[in-house]
Amino acid sequence: MKYDLQDLIAMAAAARDKAYAPYSHFRVGAALLTAGGRVYTGCNIENASYGLTVCAERVALFQAVAAGEREFTALAVVGGDLEACFPCGACRQVLAEFAPDLEVITGRPGGSIHRRRLRELLPDTFTLK
C-alpha cells in the first residue's frame, strides 16, 4: 500500500493520542514506513524516573524491528501542537543505525509539512559499520 505524507502525519497524530505523558504533558506520535509498505506507529511513554522515558520514534522503530523489519523509507512525527517536531538526538542516532537516508516528515494534520533527510539532521552519525 502506498501512503502519502498527509496519511503518515495522520497516523502519527493518532498514535500521539495514545501517549503516556503525565509529567511533561507533551504528547508525541510517530509513524514509520517500511520499504515493504507497512507502517508501525509509536507514542512517547514517560516514567517517573525521567531518564527511562522512551520517545515515540524509538517505540515505532523497536516495534518494527521486533516484527523483523530492517528497511525504512519514511518517518512522520507529530508533537504537541507544534508545527514541526523533529526527532531528538538520541532518536536520530538510533534511526541512523537502520536508515541513514530516512525521510523525516513533521507537521500537523491538514497543515504544512516539513521534510528532511536523516543525514541532514544528524550529519556525523556514530557508526561501527
Side-chain angles (χ1 to χ4, degrees):
M1 179 173 207
K2 185 169 172 104
Y3 296 92
D4 70 20
L5 301 182
Q6 283 293 343
D7 289 338
L8 288 176
I9 291 288
M11 288 177 190
R16 176 188 57 188
D17 292 341
K18 297 175 183 161
Y20 178 74
Y23 307 105
S24 73
H25 305 287
F26 188 74
R27 300 159 64 89
V28 180
L32 181 63
L33 179 63
T34 69
R38 292 199 58 192
V39 175
Y40 292 83
T41 61
C43 61
N44 59 317
I45 304 167
E46 294 181 351
N47 187 276
S49 176
Y50 211 67
L52 300 178
T53 294
V54 181
C55 298
E57 299 90 332
R58 283 182 279 154
V59 170
L61 177 69
F62 295 163
Q63 286 193 77
V65 171
E69 301 286 354
R70 298 293 187 272
E71 296 181 21
F72 307 100
T73 59
L75 171 73
V77 182
V78 174
D81 292 325
L82 296 178
E83 182 65 32
C85 181
F86 286 100
C88 73
C91 287
R92 292 174 190 193
Q93 179 63 47
V94 172
L95 290 161
E97 180 78 14
F98 294 92
D101 289 318
L102 185 72
E103 181 175 23
V104 180
I105 304 147
T106 185
R108 291 185 297 187
S112 61
I113 292 177
H114 306 270
R115 301 163 69 174
R116 302 282 186 285
R117 290 285 172 193
L118 187 57
R119 284 189 190 282
E120 294 174 79
L121 298 173
L122 186 65
D124 297 317
T125 305
F126 174 79
T127 182
L128 295 177
K129 295 178 182 177

